[in-house]
Amino acid sequence: MRYAPGHNEAARDRIVEAASRLFREEGIAAVGLAKIMSEADLTVGTFYTHFKSKEALVRETLVRALKSRYLDLERALRAGDVELAVRAYLSPAHRDAPGLGCPTAALASEVARHPRGTRQAFASESAPSLDLVAEGLSARRGGKKVSRADAAAFFGLLAGTLQLARATPDHAESDAILEAGVRAALRLASADDGPSTTARPRSR
Amino acid sequence: MRYAPGHNEAARDRIVEAASRLFREEGIAAVGLAKIMSEADLTVGTFYTHFKSKEALVRETLVRALKSRYLDLERALRAGDVELAVRAYLSPAHRDAPGLGCPTAALASEVARHPRGTRQAFASESAPSLDLVAEGLSARRGGKKVSRADAAAFFGLLAGTLQLARATPDHAESDAILEAGVRAALRLASADDGPSTTARPRSR
DNA sequence: ATTATCTATAGATCTATAGATAATGC
DNA sequence: ATTATCTATAGATCTATAGATAATGC
């Protein structure tokens, strides 16, 4: 420890922070290490004293962003309930600020193409949030058990709808998609079973 | 026309076809022109006699893939109904073959970062499919009007859930997510209103 | 003395262009 | 004669590494 104590950690932290934002804003493949290091006020040569590879950084940024989102979600659920969290997720503010937003909406399809270790990290760090969502849904449905997979489908609605709102160039239509997403999510979160799940036995 | 008639069109077609598959499999930013041209049995120098830029090719591949998916959707809805289409969309086969699958699930988050012209093309070519979905949902809900934005939210559920299934490394859990997605989609497509949309007036 | 930083560079790849070559119709 | 193809290359960027320099504690 010859540099000031915490110097190394602070630099590493700036790198992860910059990468975490840039990846969500521009995509993982589209962002080079030079840009990340420059945003962290370092030159590119230093990168490999902090990380083994770009992929190692990707794993860390996903873990950090998912942990941070977990805390946000916990707060939102404590403050209100599922409805409040849904409205915050499908808000114009979230749509317009991907760099600090949900890593799943920004990067899930790209993560799906990354090595298994990266997907594993993504899944492990997503699990606690999904379990929180499952709890919230369960409470809304009168305590009926909701699986993690069910929570994933609910979350898929949120993330997929946010992506469509982001891809839609017409501003009014994009807003309308967010609002429709809120309606759909609240409908899904509602207490009653849709008749189709009981009326139509799932074949296969 | 000195080369055989249709020669140019055939080559151009192979390029779009290869790019359309590769982009969905690996992402737009991750695939270079050399790889695309090589898959089309051409060398990279020829690219610019067919397209003005990589971005122009991206627009064409999105349009082509969305048109093709529209036809598939039309067939599925004619053959059965929304339920059949949902089960085909959230199937292991679709999850495991992104190259021929839904361009929205594969590329929506990346398209959101592309120039307005690309997003415009994406939105325009998505509209007919969304309108078909809206029709299908409307039929299921006893003829009640369903907007394109509502259809987009429904479609967001499908695309988002498929992405999560693709990103999930555990095979059993990935299958479970697909099944939960089917349940959620059928619940959303069901005739009754969830109570929350009527019981809780949408503030804001 | 140790360690994080810097500059510099290797070697591969990226998009795009230039100019020569080959394939065909007139 | 025309046009799609090829080879070759420009110039920028990518990930990763090597070796010199600067910042600190002992």
Side-chain angles (χ1 to χ4, degrees):
Chain A
M1 267 165 253
R2 299 312 153 95
Y3 275 69
H7 179 103
N8 184 321
E9 290 71 14
R12 187 189 168 93
D13 215 65
R14 290 201 309 278
I15 297 169
V16 177
E17 201 59 35
S20 177
R21 180 175 58 75
L22 286 168
F23 287 157
R24 281 179 278 183
E25 281 174 359
E26 305 179 20
I28 297 168
V31 176
L33 298 179
K35 186 169 198 171
I36 293 166
M37 295 305 283
S38 143
E39 296 268 314
D41 282 316
L42 292 166
T43 58
V44 68
T46 315
F47 179 81
Y48 292 89
T49 62
H50 292 285
F51 303 94
K52 191 178 141 281
S53 62
K54 184 185 180 183
E55 197 61 35
L57 173 63
V58 168
R59 281 194 299 273
E60 281 215 32
T61 58
L62 289 174
V63 168
R64 155 120 34 143
L66 287 166
K67 276 191 202 303
S68 157
R69 295 292 304 179
Y70 172 82
L71 295 176
D72 292 347
L73 177 62
E74 212 181 22
R75 259 192 298 276
L77 289 179
R78 221 195 305 275
D81 70 336
V82 169
E83 176 161 356
L84 191 76
V86 163
R87 288 189 187 282
Y89 193 98
L90 291 175
S91 66
H94 188 194
R95 176 195 60 199
D96 300 335
L100 296 175
C102 175
T104 301
L107 300 174
S109 54
E110 196 165 3
V111 166
R113 303 170 190 125
H114 275 247
R116 188 178 179 87
T118 303
R119 284 179 286 133
Q120 188 58 60
F122 180 78
S124 299
E125 287 303 324
S126 295
S129 290
L130 291 176
D131 290 342
L132 268 192
V133 169
E135 244 182 76
L137 289 177
S138 176
R140 271 210 156 223
R141 291 181 188 166
K144 222 179 338 167
K145 170 80 182 152
V146 173
S147 71
R148 188 183 287 171
D150 286 321
F154 181 80
F155 188 52
L157 164 62
L158 299 183
T161 303
L162 186 62
Q163 289 176 7
L164 289 178
R166 282 176 177 161
T168 299
D170 183 276
H171 201 278
E173 183 65 13
S174 178
D175 286 351
I177 289 171
L178 291 178
E179 286 161 22
V182 171
R183 285 195 299 275
L186 295 183
R187 187 195 264 253
L188 253 193
S190 76
D192 62 321
D193 278 320
S196 53
T197 45
T198 51
R200 312 202 178 206
R202 286 183 42 250
S203 61
R204 185 177 215 250
Chain B
M1 268 165 250
R2 299 314 153 96
Y3 275 68
H7 179 105
N8 184 319
E9 290 71 14
R12 186 189 168 91
D13 215 66
R14 291 202 307 279
I15 298 169
V16 177
E17 201 59 36
S20 176
R21 180 175 59 76
L22 287 169
F23 287 158
R24 281 178 279 182
E25 283 174 358
E26 305 179 19
I28 297 168
V31 176
L33 297 179
K35 185 169 198 171
I36 293 167
M37 296 305 282
S38 144
E39 296 268 313
D41 283 317
L42 291 166
T43 57
V44 68
T46 313
F47 179 80
Y48 292 89
T49 63
H50 293 284
F51 303 93
K52 191 178 141 282
S53 63
K54 184 185 182 184
E55 196 63 34
L57 173 63
V58 169
R59 281 194 299 273
E60 281 215 32
T61 59
L62 290 173
V63 168
R64 155 118 38 142
L66 287 166
K67 276 191 202 303
S68 157
R69 295 291 305 178
Y70 172 82
L71 296 175
D72 292 348
L73 178 62
E74 213 181 20
R75 259 193 299 277
L77 289 179
R78 221 196 304 275
D81 70 336
V82 170
E83 176 161 357
L84 191 76
V86 164
R87 288 189 188 284
Y89 193 98
L90 291 175
S91 66
H94 188 195
R95 175 194 59 198
D96 299 335
L100 297 174
C102 174
T104 301
L107 300 173
S109 54
E110 197 165 2
V111 166
R113 302 169 189 126
H114 276 249
R116 186 176 180 89
T118 303
R119 284 179 285 132
Q120 188 58 60
F122 180 78
S124 299
E125 288 303 324
S126 296
S129 290
L130 291 176
D131 290 342
L132 267 190
V133 169
E135 244 181 76
L137 290 178
S138 176
R140 273 211 156 221
R141 292 182 188 166
K144 222 181 335 170
K145 170 79 181 153
V146 173
S147 71
R148 187 182 288 170
D150 286 322
F154 181 80
F155 188 52
L157 164 62
L158 299 183
T161 303
L162 186 61
Q163 288 176 6
L164 289 177
R166 283 177 176 160
T168 299
D170 183 277
H171 201 279
E173 182 65 14
S174 178
D175 286 351
I177 290 171
L178 291 178
E179 287 160 22
V182 170
R183 285 196 299 275
L186 296 183
R187 187 194 262 254
L188 254 193
S190 76
D192 63 321
D193 277 319
S196 52
T197 44
T198 52
R200 309 199 182 208
R202 287 181 41 251
S203 61
R204 185 181 215 245

